[in-house]
Amino acid sequence: MAETAGTSGESPVQRLAARYGVATEYEGFDGTTVTVPQDTLRSVLTALGADVTDDDAVARSLRERETAPWLRLLPPVVVAEAGCGDTVAVTLAEGDSVRIRLWPEGEPDEARVLEPEQGGTPESAEVDGRTRRRVQYALPQDLPLGWYRLEAVTDSGERAEVDVAVTPVRLSTTDRLRGRRRWGYMAQLYSVMSSRSWGVGDLSDLASLAAISGVQGADYVLINPLHAAEPAPPVEPSPYLPSSRRFFNPLYLRIGDVAEFPYLRPADREVVARLAAIQRKAVLDPGSIDRDSAYAAKLKSLELLYTVRRSPYRQQQLEAFVAHAGQPLQDFALWCALREELGEDSPLWQDGARSPEAPYAREARSRLSHRINFHVWLQWLLDEQLEAAQRAAHRAGMDIGVMHDLAVGVHKHGADAWALQDVMASGVSVGAPADMYNQLGQDWSQPPWHPEKLAAAGYRPWREMMGTIFRHSGGVRIDHVAGLFRLWWIPEGNDASDGTYVYYDHEAMVGVLALEAELAGVVVVGEDLGTVEDSVREHLERKGVLGTSILWFEMDGEVPLDPSRYRELCMASVNTHDLPPTPGYLDGVQLQLREDLGLLARSPEEERADARRQLETFFTAVQDAGYLPEGLDAPQERKIEALYRYLCDAPSLLLNVALVDAVGEKRIQNQPGTSDEYPNWRVPLADSDGRPVMLESLPRTDRVNALVDVLNEALGTHRRTPTGRAPRQPERRDPTDPLGQDS
């Protein structure tokens, strides 16, 4: 764990904070050292479970903090690297002996007895007048990657059992990428619609996008987080403020792909057809995505589909999925049913429904069982359609396929905050300290993991989250990956800038992530933009986690950093979803929008002059590299192609093509610092003239094909013929279209 403070001249509260991994000072964005106020430290320590009510309590908490590790037989969890000779610290009373056994998870009959490490000198300490000693027991170096259980039983009857994770030293999924650079689209799925979409891009559209881009030569599609939102409208538009990161959003279901659709009663089919017709008209509206309308129509249709009796085979598949998902899925579905019944503001959330085991919630498991089962069924449908999308990607020749995005956290009133409150900290939220763009800091209103409670749970919630996301994916982007090392905690009632960093056991957090990714064969990319400690990037690189580079941010003093100097273990992009599409960026749409919203820090003239200088600097570099022979007066489309050709000089293993850049979209998808002032996360895909872009049109769009050719030529990749396909079948008519036509 990172060092957060020294010892000389520190107050007892500061010393206690240091013992808890709480920063007592940090480096501000202007390079100065900021000392964290005592009141902030006390609030954060309280959230961590320390008693700091007065000086005596602080002194007592310090003593308890120092002696606690000596009173535990075993550490809360063991995270080791395969073949590295790691050991487990076992702490015993003087004169006591112990038997240590280790077995693969779920296989106690395969237990092995561990022996103490030879040649080591045990540590010892006096605790409450008794001597305790710490003995290191060696883990077998031939343990395969995976999860194990470790049991310790002493002669005096003390017993403990903990999880052991044997993690990869380095991700082989990353090393397999070496030798060939790959490109892929990045897209906001909800904005990418076909003529059969219901006003929002869905998982069938994802399968189509994967199929189209795979044939074009892409090896992955990076999409926005598909995490679950509210169970019924209105829903939060931001995919980065979900209700749950462990489950998916039924908004993305394609109704016509549900296998039970053909067996709907005729009257119910007519209802669905009418809903489909209304929602399909929304696809032609380039203005704004209406999630609430689309979700309401889909929920109505899904409720009708839920009444259709499933075949024995389908029922078996559902039951197998439910058994695999286990209790977390049941708790999530219970929250969904309760949220529908109670809304967000009911006082019962603070009393009878405060947790899955609270009286009202326990009673609701039976009373609302039908609705709970409905929400379980929705997750099964999502699992099926996610699997189909990844299958489509592989059949189109993609190496990686669908790459998911993991948000930083969850809504404080959402399903995960409710079901996982035992491993989350209360009274604080996650955000960011003041920086040059947000001098008041940022409060994301998301509860953080409690570092020690998460460890005591064997990192199981973190592990289960990974398992769900990795189940049908080839890659994952971890938003704000530095959050696995430290997070900015803001006490309730404080300004966003009045917080401090809380450190996590990053070796465990990253180790568990690497283990689950390795077992699932998933490529991992960490979003490490902004102010990130060098040690963070070094550790992630050693583990094989790719970093992130954005062309506009990569500078060498006053000039652009030559892309040939970008990192190899990296996903490189021209832009990101928090920046305007490149066509809009070149036109300065962000300046006009920020001026209209009153967000400019300087005069409009100064901002525009600075933006012109930046663009001239970059395009001079691009021209010097030989990729803009027409000069700075070249058409915008050629300039964008030149930027991507310039990016392709990077050795980075993955290169992103923003779908908005390919089609000419200019509008910003998300304007930081706004909520309802701008339709964030609600901008449908359109071309440079503001006309809706249908998914079906991508293969025959000249602008798209020209940019694809730039990537393929620069990387030595090529368009491909789909492989591994099933025998050719007639195109399946969408059953939600009664005329069998696109409408």
Side-chain angles (χ1 to χ4, degrees), residues 180-183 216-219 708-720:
R180 179 169 74 84
R181 293 177 297 161
R182 293 157 173 82
W183 71 270
Q216 289 176 333
D219 275 303
V708 165
D709 289 342
V710 166
L711 268 291
N712 284 333
E713 180 184 352
L715 299 182
T717 51
H718 54 81
R719 294 174 183 266
R720 53 171 78 99

Side-chain angles (χ1 to χ4, degrees), residues 102 114 159 273 309 321 530 636:
L102 178 76
L114 304 191
R159 182 182 179 280
R309 178 174 296 180
F321 171 78
Q636 188 186 87

